[in-house]
């Protein structure tokens, strides 16, 4: 892998406001790609599975009880098409992980979610970031963003956080909110979203010497 490429892997709690805004702003500042749901399309192309089928299978695993009762830690291996489990949760994760690892050999990027910090843990020039905020702040943010009640926002956050926790533990064997998993942990309510962007970019410079275009 060229030493010129880098990745920022962002993990965030629901309502912290960090996933889309911060990730997209950093990607725009460096002129690099931002991957979230877009990763499904790339994984679909890589695996040969129709994107609609791939997305539906991904959605089905979200709704299942699978992550609550079992575990399948990613070990870096691909799931071949001839296997009987080509559309299993494990295979879907492996396809996405393979794409993330291959991309880092070709470009720099920002990825939100998908346990990218774990998938890329053995790669150089990868910055893993965990974004959180106090629970009341997260509830208020979702109430404002979605125009929903306090109770609805609370249910939404609790459900999504639980899914993300179960998904992360299932595929990594680690605890989602264990701050030792990440290089940098930020409170988006304390710092503000734009200041979090600035802090991540400063950390990237201090750690890897990466400068934004126009500042070199």
């Amino acid at each position: 892998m060229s030493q010129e490429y880098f990745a920022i892997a962002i993990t965030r709690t629901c309502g912290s406001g960090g996933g889309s805004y911060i990730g997209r702003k950093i990607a725009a500042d460096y002129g690099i790609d931002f991957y979230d749901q877009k990763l499904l399309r790339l994984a679909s192309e890589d695996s040969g599975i129709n994107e609609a089928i791939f997305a539906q299978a991904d959605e089905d695993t979200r709704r299942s009880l699978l992550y609550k009762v079992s575990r399948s830690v990613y070990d870096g291996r691909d799931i071949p098409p001839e296997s009987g489990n080509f559309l299993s949760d494990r295979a879907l994760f492996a396809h996405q992980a393979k794409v993330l690892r291959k991309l880092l050999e070709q470009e720099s990027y920002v990825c939100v979610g998908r346990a990218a910090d774990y998938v890329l843990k053995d790669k150089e020039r990868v910055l893993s970031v965990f974004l959180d905020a106090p629970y009341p702040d997260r509830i208020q943010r979702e109430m404002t963003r979605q125009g929903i009640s306090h109770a609805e926002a609370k249910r939404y956050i609790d459900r999504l956080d639980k899914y993300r926790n179960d998904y992360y533990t299932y595929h990594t064997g680690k605890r989602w909110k264990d701050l030792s998993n990440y290089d940098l942990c930020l409170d988006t309510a304390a710092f503000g979203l734009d200041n979090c962007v600035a802090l991540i970019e400063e950390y990237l410079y201090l750690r890897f010497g990466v400068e934004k275009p126009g500042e070199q």
Side-chain angles (χ1 to χ4, degrees):
M1 183 185 76
S2 169
Q3 292 301 301
E4 295 302 312
Y5 300 130
F6 65 90
I8 300 175
I10 296 177
T11 302
R12 77 290 188 213
T13 56
C14 180
S16 63
S20 182
Y21 180 86
I22 290 177
R24 291 182 187 280
K25 180 67 167 61
I26 293 172
D29 285 349
Y30 289 96
I32 59 180
D33 270 319
F34 173 81
Y35 292 106
D36 52 359
Q37 288 298 315
K38 180 180 176 182
L39 188 61
L40 288 179
R41 176 176 58 78
L42 297 181
S44 167
E45 293 172 357
D46 179 79
S47 65
I49 302 171
N50 179 275
E51 184 177 358
I53 296 174
F54 200 106
Q56 185 58 53
D58 182 68
E59 181 62 27
D60 288 345
T61 60
R62 282 176 177 263
R63 296 174 179 173
S64 76
L65 295 175
L66 176 71
Y67 297 139
K68 301 177 184 179
V69 298
S70 61
R71 185 172 300 183
S72 178
V73 177
Y74 173 67
D75 60 8
R77 289 182 292 181
D78 296 334
I79 309 297
E82 60 270 17
S83 76
N85 250 354
F86 198 48
L87 273 179
S88 70
D89 59 287
R90 181 166 167 261
L92 294 173
F93 187 87
H95 296 319
Q96 294 174 79
K98 177 183 176 184
V99 168
L100 284 174
R101 293 173 67 83
K102 285 175 60 178
L103 281 171
L104 196 51
E105 298 173 359
Q106 306 163 16
E107 62 171 290
S108 298
Y109 61 83
V110 177
C111 180
V112 170
R114 307 291 168 177
D117 61 287
Y118 181 83
V119 168
L120 301 173
K121 67 182 186 302
D122 62 334
K123 298 291 188 180
E124 298 180 12
R125 290 166 66 89
V126 173
L127 173 58
S128 58
V129 180
F130 186 80
L131 302 173
D132 196 7
Y135 192 55
D137 292 88
R138 296 196 285 134
I139 291 175
Q140 185 58 54
R141 184 184 295 278
E142 288 306 313
M143 289 173 62
T144 302
R145 185 178 72 86
Q146 300 189 56
I148 57 180
S149 70
H150 184 280
E152 289 171 323
K154 185 177 183 299
R155 283 195 298 271
Y156 176 79
I157 287 172
D158 290 347
R159 183 173 65 251
L160 194 50
D161 274 358
K162 178 158 181 40
Y163 165 74
R164 290 174 178 170
N165 177 77
D166 293 344
Y167 176 94
Y168 190 90
T169 300
Y170 178 84
H171 289 295
T172 71
K174 296 180 178 293
R175 291 173 51 243
W176 180 53
K177 284 191 173 184
D178 183 347
L179 302 188
S180 66
N181 295 333
Y182 310 100
D183 297 312
L184 182 63
C185 303
L186 297 173
D187 180 339
T188 60
F191 289 107
L193 300 186
D194 288 315
N195 284 332
C196 284
V197 169
L199 286 166
I200 293 169
E201 292 178 350
E202 180 66 13
Y203 190 105
L204 192 64
Y205 172 71
L206 293 173
R207 176 85 177 272
F208 301 124
V210 175
E211 297 179 304
K212 287 188 288 188
E215 294 185 355
Q216 291 132 349

PDB file of all heavy atoms in Angstrom, residues 1-35:
ATOM      1  N   MET A   1       0.835  -1.202   0.000  1.00  0.00           N
ATOM      2  CA  MET A   1       0.000   0.000   0.000  1.00  0.00           C
ATOM      3  C   MET A   1       0.866   1.246   0.000  1.00  0.00           C
ATOM      4  O   MET A   1       1.825   1.353   0.732  1.00  0.00           O
ATOM      5  CB  MET A   1      -0.893   0.008   1.238  1.00  0.00           C
ATOM      6  CG  MET A   1      -1.840   1.193   1.289  1.00  0.00           C
ATOM      7  SD  MET A   1      -2.770   1.245   2.857  1.00  0.00           S
ATOM      8  CE  MET A   1      -1.491   1.859   3.938  1.00  0.00           C
ATOM      9  N   SER A   2       0.505   2.174  -0.855  1.00  0.00           N
ATOM     10  CA  SER A   2       1.247   3.422  -0.885  1.00  0.00           C
ATOM     11  C   SER A   2       1.091   4.162   0.431  1.00  0.00           C
ATOM     12  O   SER A   2       0.005   4.233   0.999  1.00  0.00           O
ATOM     13  CB  SER A   2       0.737   4.316  -2.026  1.00  0.00           C
ATOM     14  OG  SER A   2       1.275   5.614  -1.901  1.00  0.00           O
ATOM     15  N   GLN A   3       2.178   4.732   0.902  1.00  0.00           N
ATOM     16  CA  GLN A   3       2.130   5.488   2.146  1.00  0.00           C
ATOM     17  C   GLN A   3       1.395   6.808   1.984  1.00  0.00           C
ATOM     18  O   GLN A   3       1.178   7.515   2.953  1.00  0.00           O
ATOM     19  CB  GLN A   3       3.561   5.727   2.650  1.00  0.00           C
ATOM     20  CG  GLN A   3       4.267   4.459   3.103  1.00  0.00           C
ATOM     21  CD  GLN A   3       3.508   3.764   4.215  1.00  0.00           C
ATOM     22  OE1 GLN A   3       3.277   4.333   5.271  1.00  0.00           O
ATOM     23  NE2 GLN A   3       3.111   2.533   3.994  1.00  0.00           N
ATOM     24  N   GLU A   4       1.017   7.150   0.738  1.00  0.00           N
ATOM     25  CA  GLU A   4       0.301   8.395   0.513  1.00  0.00           C
ATOM     26  C   GLU A   4      -1.155   8.293   0.907  1.00  0.00           C
ATOM     27  O   GLU A   4      -1.814   9.294   1.157  1.00  0.00           O
ATOM     28  CB  GLU A   4       0.396   8.795  -0.974  1.00  0.00           C
ATOM     29  CG  GLU A   4       1.805   9.129  -1.434  1.00  0.00           C
ATOM     30  CD  GLU A   4       2.420  10.256  -0.611  1.00  0.00           C
ATOM     31  OE1 GLU A   4       1.761  11.289  -0.414  1.00  0.00           O
ATOM     32  OE2 GLU A   4       3.555  10.082  -0.140  1.00  0.00           O
ATOM     33  N   TYR A   5      -1.702   7.095   0.968  1.00  0.00           N
ATOM     34  CA  TYR A   5      -3.118   6.933   1.255  1.00  0.00           C
ATOM     35  C   TYR A   5      -3.381   6.833   2.756  1.00  0.00           C
ATOM     36  O   TYR A   5      -2.567   6.301   3.508  1.00  0.00           O
ATOM     37  CB  TYR A   5      -3.668   5.699   0.544  1.00  0.00           C
ATOM     38  CG  TYR A   5      -3.534   5.769  -0.962  1.00  0.00           C
ATOM     39  CD1 TYR A   5      -2.969   4.715  -1.683  1.00  0.00           C
ATOM     40  CD2 TYR A   5      -3.963   6.892  -1.657  1.00  0.00           C
ATOM     41  CE1 TYR A   5      -2.841   4.782  -3.056  1.00  0.00           C
ATOM     42  CE2 TYR A   5      -3.839   6.976  -3.043  1.00  0.00           C
ATOM     43  CZ  TYR A   5      -3.274   5.913  -3.733  1.00  0.00           C
ATOM     44  OH  TYR A   5      -3.145   5.983  -5.094  1.00  0.00           O
ATOM     45  N   PHE A   6      -4.551   7.327   3.155  1.00  0.00           N
ATOM     46  CA  PHE A   6      -4.949   7.233   4.560  1.00  0.00           C
ATOM     47  C   PHE A   6      -6.458   7.034   4.626  1.00  0.00           C
ATOM     48  O   PHE A   6      -7.181   7.281   3.656  1.00  0.00           O
ATOM     49  CB  PHE A   6      -4.556   8.505   5.325  1.00  0.00           C
ATOM     50  CG  PHE A   6      -5.287   9.749   4.874  1.00  0.00           C
ATOM     51  CD1 PHE A   6      -6.491  10.119   5.465  1.00  0.00           C
ATOM     52  CD2 PHE A   6      -4.760  10.555   3.870  1.00  0.00           C
ATOM     53  CE1 PHE A   6      -7.164  11.257   5.052  1.00  0.00           C
ATOM     54  CE2 PHE A   6      -5.438  11.700   3.446  1.00  0.00           C
ATOM     55  CZ  PHE A   6      -6.637  12.060   4.038  1.00  0.00           C
ATOM     56  N   ALA A   7      -6.918   6.579   5.778  1.00  0.00           N
ATOM     57  CA  ALA A   7      -8.352   6.409   5.991  1.00  0.00           C
ATOM     58  C   ALA A   7      -8.726   6.926   7.367  1.00  0.00           C
ATOM     59  O   ALA A   7      -7.952   6.825   8.317  1.00  0.00           O
ATOM     60  CB  ALA A   7      -8.755   4.943   5.858  1.00  0.00           C
ATOM     61  N   ILE A   8      -9.927   7.485   7.455  1.00  0.00           N
ATOM     62  CA  ILE A   8     -10.496   7.888   8.734  1.00  0.00           C
ATOM     63  C   ILE A   8     -11.741   7.042   8.946  1.00  0.00           C
ATOM     64  O   ILE A   8     -12.680   7.092   8.150  1.00  0.00           O
ATOM     65  CB  ILE A   8     -10.849   9.382   8.752  1.00  0.00           C
ATOM     66  CG1 ILE A   8      -9.590  10.227   8.508  1.00  0.00           C
ATOM     67  CG2 ILE A   8     -11.501   9.767  10.075  1.00  0.00           C
ATOM     68  CD1 ILE A   8      -9.853  11.709   8.382  1.00  0.00           C
ATOM     69  N   ALA A   9     -11.725   6.228   9.986  1.00  0.00           N
ATOM     70  CA  ALA A   9     -12.842   5.333  10.299  1.00  0.00           C
ATOM     71  C   ALA A   9     -13.626   5.931  11.468  1.00  0.00           C
ATOM     72  O   ALA A   9     -13.113   6.009  12.584  1.00  0.00           O
ATOM     73  CB  ALA A   9     -12.321   3.945  10.655  1.00  0.00           C
ATOM     74  N   ILE A  10     -14.843   6.360  11.191  1.00  0.00           N
ATOM     75  CA  ILE A  10     -15.661   7.034  12.204  1.00  0.00           C
ATOM     76  C   ILE A  10     -16.738   6.104  12.745  1.00  0.00           C
ATOM     77  O   ILE A  10     -17.508   5.517  11.985  1.00  0.00           O
ATOM     78  CB  ILE A  10     -16.321   8.295  11.620  1.00  0.00           C
ATOM     79  CG1 ILE A  10     -15.245   9.317  11.217  1.00  0.00           C
ATOM     80  CG2 ILE A  10     -17.294   8.912  12.620  1.00  0.00           C
ATOM     81  CD1 ILE A  10     -15.806  10.571  10.563  1.00  0.00           C
ATOM     82  N   THR A  11     -16.773   5.979  14.053  1.00  0.00           N
ATOM     83  CA  THR A  11     -17.840   5.271  14.749  1.00  0.00           C
ATOM     84  C   THR A  11     -18.594   6.304  15.570  1.00  0.00           C
ATOM     85  O   THR A  11     -17.982   7.198  16.164  1.00  0.00           O
ATOM     86  CB  THR A  11     -17.250   4.193  15.681  1.00  0.00           C
ATOM     87  OG1 THR A  11     -16.462   3.289  14.905  1.00  0.00           O
ATOM     88  CG2 THR A  11     -18.354   3.422  16.389  1.00  0.00           C
ATOM     89  N   ARG A  12     -19.925   6.224  15.587  1.00  0.00           N
ATOM     90  CA  ARG A  12     -20.681   7.275  16.274  1.00  0.00           C
ATOM     91  C   ARG A  12     -21.933   6.714  16.930  1.00  0.00           C
ATOM     92  O   ARG A  12     -22.515   5.741  16.450  1.00  0.00           O
ATOM     93  CB  ARG A  12     -21.057   8.396  15.315  1.00  0.00           C
ATOM     94  CG  ARG A  12     -22.239   8.090  14.370  1.00  0.00           C
ATOM     95  CD  ARG A  12     -21.867   7.079  13.334  1.00  0.00           C
ATOM     96  NE  ARG A  12     -22.908   6.916  12.317  1.00  0.00           N
ATOM     97  CZ  ARG A  12     -23.176   5.765  11.706  1.00  0.00           C
ATOM     98  NH1 ARG A  12     -22.517   4.677  12.023  1.00  0.00           N
ATOM     99  NH2 ARG A  12     -24.117   5.696  10.786  1.00  0.00           N
ATOM    100  N   THR A  13     -22.336   7.342  18.019  1.00  0.00           N
ATOM    101  CA  THR A  13     -23.598   7.012  18.645  1.00  0.00           C
ATOM    102  C   THR A  13     -24.709   7.765  17.914  1.00  0.00           C
ATOM    103  O   THR A  13     -24.480   8.830  17.329  1.00  0.00           O
ATOM    104  CB  THR A  13     -23.621   7.397  20.127  1.00  0.00           C
ATOM    105  OG1 THR A  13     -23.314   8.793  20.257  1.00  0.00           O
ATOM    106  CG2 THR A  13     -22.631   6.572  20.923  1.00  0.00           C
ATOM    107  N   CYS A  14     -25.902   7.220  17.961  1.00  0.00           N
ATOM    108  CA  CYS A  14     -27.044   7.868  17.318  1.00  0.00           C
ATOM    109  C   CYS A  14     -27.347   9.198  18.003  1.00  0.00           C
ATOM    110  O   CYS A  14     -27.397   9.286  19.224  1.00  0.00           O
ATOM    111  CB  CYS A  14     -28.264   6.944  17.401  1.00  0.00           C
ATOM    112  SG  CYS A  14     -29.745   7.639  16.634  1.00  0.00           S
ATOM    113  N   GLY A  15     -27.510  10.241  17.196  1.00  0.00           N
ATOM    114  CA  GLY A  15     -27.834  11.545  17.740  1.00  0.00           C
ATOM    115  C   GLY A  15     -26.638  12.393  18.097  1.00  0.00           C
ATOM    116  O   GLY A  15     -26.794  13.551  18.492  1.00  0.00           O
ATOM    117  N   SER A  16     -25.435  11.832  17.957  1.00  0.00           N
ATOM    118  CA  SER A  16     -24.238  12.625  18.248  1.00  0.00           C
ATOM    119  C   SER A  16     -23.986  13.650  17.153  1.00  0.00           C
ATOM    120  O   SER A  16     -23.226  14.601  17.349  1.00  0.00           O
ATOM    121  CB  SER A  16     -23.006  11.717  18.404  1.00  0.00           C
ATOM    122  OG  SER A  16     -22.729  11.027  17.199  1.00  0.00           O
ATOM    123  N   GLY A  17     -24.613  13.461  15.986  1.00  0.00           N
ATOM    124  CA  GLY A  17     -24.484  14.411  14.891  1.00  0.00           C
ATOM    125  C   GLY A  17     -23.185  14.274  14.138  1.00  0.00           C
ATOM    126  O   GLY A  17     -22.890  15.077  13.254  1.00  0.00           O
ATOM    127  N   GLY A  18     -22.410  13.263  14.472  1.00  0.00           N
ATOM    128  CA  GLY A  18     -21.069  13.182  13.924  1.00  0.00           C
ATOM    129  C   GLY A  18     -20.909  12.408  12.647  1.00  0.00           C
ATOM    130  O   GLY A  18     -19.957  12.630  11.909  1.00  0.00           O
ATOM    131  N   GLY A  19     -21.806  11.468  12.398  1.00  0.00           N
ATOM    132  CA  GLY A  19     -21.584  10.572  11.277  1.00  0.00           C
ATOM    133  C   GLY A  19     -21.533  11.240   9.936  1.00  0.00           C
ATOM    134  O   GLY A  19     -20.488  11.326   9.296  1.00  0.00           O
ATOM    135  N   SER A  20     -22.655  11.746   9.505  1.00  0.00           N
ATOM    136  CA  SER A  20     -22.741  12.296   8.163  1.00  0.00           C
ATOM    137  C   SER A  20     -22.060  13.651   8.046  1.00  0.00           C
ATOM    138  O   SER A  20     -21.231  13.870   7.171  1.00  0.00           O
ATOM    139  CB  SER A  20     -24.206  12.403   7.739  1.00  0.00           C
ATOM    140  OG  SER A  20     -24.306  12.882   6.422  1.00  0.00           O
ATOM    141  N   TYR A  21     -22.391  14.591   8.952  1.00  0.00           N
ATOM    142  CA  TYR A  21     -21.852  15.947   8.816  1.00  0.00           C
ATOM    143  C   TYR A  21     -20.329  15.972   8.917  1.00  0.00           C
ATOM    144  O   TYR A  21     -19.633  16.486   8.037  1.00  0.00           O
ATOM    145  CB  TYR A  21     -22.454  16.870   9.869  1.00  0.00           C
ATOM    146  CG  TYR A  21     -21.923  18.291   9.757  1.00  0.00           C
ATOM    147  CD1 TYR A  21     -22.521  19.201   8.891  1.00  0.00           C
ATOM    148  CD2 TYR A  21     -20.803  18.697  10.484  1.00  0.00           C
ATOM    149  CE1 TYR A  21     -22.022  20.489   8.756  1.00  0.00           C
ATOM    150  CE2 TYR A  21     -20.297  19.987  10.358  1.00  0.00           C
ATOM    151  CZ  TYR A  21     -20.912  20.876   9.501  1.00  0.00           C
ATOM    152  OH  TYR A  21     -20.401  22.143   9.370  1.00  0.00           O
ATOM    153  N   ILE A  22     -19.796  15.409   9.998  1.00  0.00           N
ATOM    154  CA  ILE A  22     -18.350  15.455  10.211  1.00  0.00           C
ATOM    155  C   ILE A  22     -17.615  14.651   9.145  1.00  0.00           C
ATOM    156  O   ILE A  22     -16.618  15.103   8.585  1.00  0.00           O
ATOM    157  CB  ILE A  22     -18.000  14.952  11.624  1.00  0.00           C
ATOM    158  CG1 ILE A  22     -18.469  15.977  12.667  1.00  0.00           C
ATOM    159  CG2 ILE A  22     -16.503  14.687  11.768  1.00  0.00           C
ATOM    160  CD1 ILE A  22     -18.252  15.560  14.103  1.00  0.00           C
ATOM    161  N   GLY A  23     -18.116  13.452   8.860  1.00  0.00           N
ATOM    162  CA  GLY A  23     -17.463  12.622   7.853  1.00  0.00           C
ATOM    163  C   GLY A  23     -17.434  13.282   6.483  1.00  0.00           C
ATOM    164  O   GLY A  23     -16.396  13.300   5.810  1.00  0.00           O
ATOM    165  N   ARG A  24     -18.566  13.833   6.065  1.00  0.00           N
ATOM    166  CA  ARG A  24     -18.637  14.471   4.746  1.00  0.00           C
ATOM    167  C   ARG A  24     -17.793  15.747   4.687  1.00  0.00           C
ATOM    168  O   ARG A  24     -17.181  16.051   3.657  1.00  0.00           O
ATOM    169  CB  ARG A  24     -20.091  14.791   4.393  1.00  0.00           C
ATOM    170  CG  ARG A  24     -20.939  13.548   4.139  1.00  0.00           C
ATOM    171  CD  ARG A  24     -22.368  13.910   3.751  1.00  0.00           C
ATOM    172  NE  ARG A  24     -23.200  12.728   3.678  1.00  0.00           N
ATOM    173  CZ  ARG A  24     -23.241  11.889   2.640  1.00  0.00           C
ATOM    174  NH1 ARG A  24     -22.492  12.130   1.584  1.00  0.00           N
ATOM    175  NH2 ARG A  24     -24.025  10.830   2.656  1.00  0.00           N
ATOM    176  N   LYS A  25     -17.760  16.491   5.789  1.00  0.00           N
ATOM    177  CA  LYS A  25     -16.973  17.733   5.807  1.00  0.00           C
ATOM    178  C   LYS A  25     -15.484  17.422   5.694  1.00  0.00           C
ATOM    179  O   LYS A  25     -14.753  18.079   4.927  1.00  0.00           O
ATOM    180  CB  LYS A  25     -17.248  18.485   7.110  1.00  0.00           C
ATOM    181  CG  LYS A  25     -16.491  19.811   7.261  1.00  0.00           C
ATOM    182  CD  LYS A  25     -16.978  20.832   6.248  1.00  0.00           C
ATOM    183  CE  LYS A  25     -16.486  22.234   6.571  1.00  0.00           C
ATOM    184  NZ  LYS A  25     -15.025  22.364   6.583  1.00  0.00           N
ATOM    185  N   ILE A  26     -15.014  16.409   6.412  1.00  0.00           N
ATOM    186  CA  ILE A  26     -13.606  16.033   6.327  1.00  0.00           C
ATOM    187  C   ILE A  26     -13.274  15.533   4.921  1.00  0.00           C
ATOM    188  O   ILE A  26     -12.240  15.909   4.344  1.00  0.00           O
ATOM    189  CB  ILE A  26     -13.272  14.951   7.375  1.00  0.00           C
ATOM    190  CG1 ILE A  26     -13.372  15.534   8.788  1.00  0.00           C
ATOM    191  CG2 ILE A  26     -11.872  14.377   7.133  1.00  0.00           C
ATOM    192  CD1 ILE A  26     -13.247  14.503   9.884  1.00  0.00           C
ATOM    193  N   ALA A  27     -14.137  14.702   4.362  1.00  0.00           N
ATOM    194  CA  ALA A  27     -13.907  14.188   3.013  1.00  0.00           C
ATOM    195  C   ALA A  27     -13.826  15.331   2.003  1.00  0.00           C
ATOM    196  O   ALA A  27     -12.959  15.342   1.120  1.00  0.00           O
ATOM    197  CB  ALA A  27     -15.014  13.210   2.631  1.00  0.00           C
ATOM    198  N   ALA A  28     -14.702  16.322   2.148  1.00  0.00           N
ATOM    199  CA  ALA A  28     -14.692  17.471   1.239  1.00  0.00           C
ATOM    200  C   ALA A  28     -13.419  18.293   1.409  1.00  0.00           C
ATOM    201  O   ALA A  28     -12.825  18.763   0.431  1.00  0.00           O
ATOM    202  CB  ALA A  28     -15.922  18.344   1.491  1.00  0.00           C
ATOM    203  N   ASP A  29     -12.973  18.464   2.660  1.00  0.00           N
ATOM    204  CA  ASP A  29     -11.767  19.254   2.919  1.00  0.00           C
ATOM    205  C   ASP A  29     -10.531  18.640   2.264  1.00  0.00           C
ATOM    206  O   ASP A  29      -9.618  19.363   1.844  1.00  0.00           O
ATOM    207  CB  ASP A  29     -11.535  19.379   4.426  1.00  0.00           C
ATOM    208  CG  ASP A  29     -12.497  20.355   5.093  1.00  0.00           C
ATOM    209  OD1 ASP A  29     -13.204  21.088   4.366  1.00  0.00           O
ATOM    210  OD2 ASP A  29     -12.552  20.372   6.340  1.00  0.00           O
ATOM    211  N   TYR A  30     -10.480  17.310   2.196  1.00  0.00           N
ATOM    212  CA  TYR A  30      -9.308  16.642   1.625  1.00  0.00           C
ATOM    213  C   TYR A  30      -9.534  16.201   0.177  1.00  0.00           C
ATOM    214  O   TYR A  30      -8.614  15.673  -0.451  1.00  0.00           O
ATOM    215  CB  TYR A  30      -8.931  15.417   2.466  1.00  0.00           C
ATOM    216  CG  TYR A  30      -8.346  15.776   3.809  1.00  0.00           C
ATOM    217  CD1 TYR A  30      -9.144  15.812   4.947  1.00  0.00           C
ATOM    218  CD2 TYR A  30      -6.995  16.106   3.950  1.00  0.00           C
ATOM    219  CE1 TYR A  30      -8.626  16.154   6.182  1.00  0.00           C
ATOM    220  CE2 TYR A  30      -6.465  16.445   5.185  1.00  0.00           C
ATOM    221  CZ  TYR A  30      -7.290  16.470   6.296  1.00  0.00           C
ATOM    222  OH  TYR A  30      -6.765  16.818   7.522  1.00  0.00           O
ATOM    223  N   GLY A  31     -10.745  16.385  -0.319  1.00  0.00           N
ATOM    224  CA  GLY A  31     -11.041  15.978  -1.687  1.00  0.00           C
ATOM    225  C   GLY A  31     -11.005  14.473  -1.860  1.00  0.00           C
ATOM    226  O   GLY A  31     -10.525  13.967  -2.886  1.00  0.00           O
ATOM    227  N   ILE A  32     -11.523  13.740  -0.864  1.00  0.00           N
ATOM    228  CA  ILE A  32     -11.508  12.279  -0.910  1.00  0.00           C
ATOM    229  C   ILE A  32     -12.936  11.746  -0.786  1.00  0.00           C
ATOM    230  O   ILE A  32     -13.870  12.493  -0.498  1.00  0.00           O
ATOM    231  CB  ILE A  32     -10.629  11.676   0.204  1.00  0.00           C
ATOM    232  CG1 ILE A  32     -11.123  12.114   1.591  1.00  0.00           C
ATOM    233  CG2 ILE A  32      -9.174  12.107   0.007  1.00  0.00           C
ATOM    234  CD1 ILE A  32     -10.312  11.559   2.759  1.00  0.00           C
ATOM    235  N   ASP A  33     -13.101  10.447  -0.990  1.00  0.00           N
ATOM    236  CA  ASP A  33     -14.430   9.843  -0.963  1.00  0.00           C
ATOM    237  C   ASP A  33     -14.945   9.633   0.454  1.00  0.00           C
ATOM    238  O   ASP A  33     -14.167   9.420   1.396  1.00  0.00           O
ATOM    239  CB  ASP A  33     -14.424   8.488  -1.675  1.00  0.00           C
ATOM    240  CG  ASP A  33     -14.735   8.614  -3.162  1.00  0.00           C
ATOM    241  OD1 ASP A  33     -15.625   9.406  -3.525  1.00  0.00           O
ATOM    242  OD2 ASP A  33     -14.074   7.921  -3.963  1.00  0.00           O
ATOM    243  N   PHE A  34     -16.268   9.679   0.575  1.00  0.00           N
ATOM    244  CA  PHE A  34     -16.969   9.407   1.825  1.00  0.00           C
ATOM    245  C   PHE A  34     -17.812   8.152   1.614  1.00  0.00           C
ATOM    246  O   PHE A  34     -18.614   8.086   0.678  1.00  0.00           O
ATOM    247  CB  PHE A  34     -17.871  10.586   2.179  1.00  0.00           C
ATOM    248  CG  PHE A  34     -18.770  10.338   3.372  1.00  0.00           C
ATOM    249  CD1 PHE A  34     -18.286  10.479   4.660  1.00  0.00           C
ATOM    250  CD2 PHE A  34     -20.096   9.971   3.191  1.00  0.00           C
ATOM    251  CE1 PHE A  34     -19.115  10.253   5.752  1.00  0.00           C
ATOM    252  CE2 PHE A  34     -20.928   9.743   4.275  1.00  0.00           C
ATOM    253  CZ  PHE A  34     -20.434   9.891   5.560  1.00  0.00           C
ATOM    254  N   TYR A  35     -17.621   7.160   2.474  1.00  0.00           N
ATOM    255  CA  TYR A  35     -18.345   5.903   2.316  1.00  0.00           C
ATOM    256  C   TYR A  35     -19.231   5.624   3.522  1.00  0.00           C
ATOM    257  O   TYR A  35     -18.771   5.604   4.658  1.00  0.00           O
ATOM    258  CB  TYR A  35     -17.368   4.733   2.140  1.00  0.00           C
ATOM    259  CG  TYR A  35     -16.604   4.784   0.844  1.00  0.00           C
ATOM    260  CD1 TYR A  35     -15.256   5.140   0.816  1.00  0.00           C
ATOM    261  CD2 TYR A  35     -17.228   4.498  -0.362  1.00  0.00           C
ATOM    262  CE1 TYR A  35     -14.561   5.207  -0.371  1.00  0.00           C
ATOM    263  CE2 TYR A  35     -16.540   4.560  -1.570  1.00  0.00           C
ATOM    264  CZ  TYR A  35     -15.206   4.916  -1.563  1.00  0.00           C
ATOM    265  OH  TYR A  35     -14.520   4.979  -2.755  1.00  0.00           O
TER     266      TYR A  35
END
